[in-house]
Amino acid sequence: MGEMQIRPLAPHCGAEITGIDARAIGDAEMALLKQTLADRGVVMLRDQQLNPEDHIAFARRWGAIDVNNYFPANGGYPEIAEVRKAETQFVNIGGGWHTDHSYDAEPAMGSILVARELPPAGGDTLFASLGAAYDALSDGLKATLDGLRAVHSADHIYGPDGVYSKTDQAADLKGQEIRANAVHPAVIRHPVSGRRILYVNPAFTLHFEGWTAAESQPLLQYLYSVAMREEFHCRLQWQPGSVAVWDNRSTWHLAVNDYHGHRRLMHRITISGVALG
């Protein structure tokens, strides 16, 4: 496919990569891909031709596969979760800022998302750099956060009375009986880059350890407001053949829900991670 080309998408996160075939990446290219992901948080590979077996094989180049407990599996391939919205549905999956699996004791490293069916326009995914958000904080706030740990859970999202239970996505999701809770430092050191990363998110973080929810909310909301600044974001525009790989430890993402009346189907494989510190 020619020579691998890397183009930054925005100042703080994102890179678009062309000139490689994900089905036949050499070791040197794979090492560069992993380094680019650690540096940029999310990479978008263009013009790929991955069937489900190729998708799984490519994912295994990154690490072990973490099967999602909540999303419907793709028929015949339990490693692949389907992120889908039908023409008749109004609610999408991931329509608020979040990072996947922060409610697990060893949060997923990241995910590999393959575009299968796209609306004629819209359906982009936004990403935010939580390394850039941390860097923007004052030294005093950084010192305060150094001593804090945060409690994360998925129960209020995916549980029997959770957010999705009241929407038109309820019938597609599973795992309502699962209880998922974890505690992580509010600021982590990235396992690959060593960069300091703000590790709280609006979807799954409940409160700081030892603090009440009411005490935690003002500080959490301020931290979220910093990460929501557009200067820290990049926007992935999907095309047929697009494959995104993102790092859950250093980014948030948001699936833009602006294509009502059209179907969107993505295939997602989640890559296992490590405990964060």
Side-chain angles (χ1 to χ4, degrees):
M1 289 187 66
E3 192 174 340
M4 181 172 173
Q5 302 285 333
I6 302 171
R7 182 179 72 86
L9 289 175
H12 292 288
C13 71
E16 186 177 75
I17 296 180
T18 54
I20 61 170
D21 182 345
R23 298 169 299 185
I25 296 179
D27 290 343
E29 284 180 320
M30 196 67 203
L32 183 55
L33 203 53
K34 288 181 176 180
Q35 186 60 53
T36 303
L37 185 71
D39 293 341
R40 304 298 301 169
V42 56
V43 295
M44 178 70 100
L45 281 60
R46 297 293 189 189
D47 306 318
Q48 302 301 311
Q49 305 293 328
L50 299 186
N51 64 31
E53 290 92 346
D54 297 328
H55 188 185
I56 293 167
F58 180 54
R60 290 203 168 113
R61 299 284 299 273
W62 294 86
I65 291 173
D66 188 347
V67 176
N68 186 279
N69 289 322
Y70 304 105
F71 293 177
N74 169 257
Y77 300 96
E79 300 93 341
I80 299 175
E82 292 201 337
V83 181
R84 63 191 184 216
K85 182 184 176 216
E87 300 91 330
T88 55
Q89 288 177 309
F90 289 94
V91 174
N92 72 333
I93 294 292
W97 284 112
H98 66 287
T99 189
D100 300 331
H101 291 239
S102 72
Y103 45 80
D104 288 338
E106 294 187 351
M109 180 284 281
S111 293
I112 302 175
L113 196 66
V114 176
R116 292 298 181 201
E117 296 180 48
L118 295 170
D124 296 350
T125 307
L126 305 181
F127 284 81
S129 169
L130 274 293
Y134 175 79
D135 291 344
L137 304 177
S138 68
D139 290 344
L141 184 48
K142 287 174 181 173
T144 298
L145 292 174
D146 263 353
L148 296 182
R149 288 156 56 84
V151 177
H152 300 248
S153 177
D155 299 353
H156 61 291
I157 303 291
Y158 297 117
D161 300 316
V163 172
Y164 284 121
S165 70
K166 304 171 182 66
T167 74
D168 57 14
Q169 285 282 351
D172 291 340
L173 296 173
K174 58 184 182 178
Q176 284 88 350
E177 73 289 350
I178 295 169
R179 296 293 170 262
N181 295 275
V183 182
H184 306 291
V187 177
I188 62 167
R189 194 169 288 283
H190 191 275
V192 179
S193 69
R195 187 177 186 182
R196 302 280 276 168
I197 307 285
L198 183 62
Y199 195 73
V200 291
N201 70 89
F204 301 121
T205 305
L206 298 182
H207 59 86
F208 294 111
E209 189 178 46
W211 294 32
T212 68
E215 290 167 341
S216 302
Q217 280 308 307
L219 179 50
L220 286 173
Q221 292 301 328
Y222 175 73
L223 296 172
Y224 300 157
S225 74
V226 174
M228 287 178 189
R229 291 185 197 163
E230 288 189 4
E231 71 238 46
F232 301 143
H233 299 173
C234 66
R235 188 179 193 105
L236 266 56
Q237 294 184 308
W238 294 92
Q239 300 162 356
S242 293
V243 177
V245 185
W246 68 82
D247 189 318
N248 273 318
R249 288 85 57 97
S250 61
T251 60
W252 288 351
H253 57 282
L254 181 155
V256 180
N257 190 17
D258 59 354
Y259 51 94
H260 297 310
H262 297 283
R263 179 174 163 85
R264 182 179 183 268
L265 173 64
M266 317 296 271
H267 279 182
R268 192 181 95 175
I269 297 180
T270 300
I271 308 301
S272 301
V274 297
L276 302 176

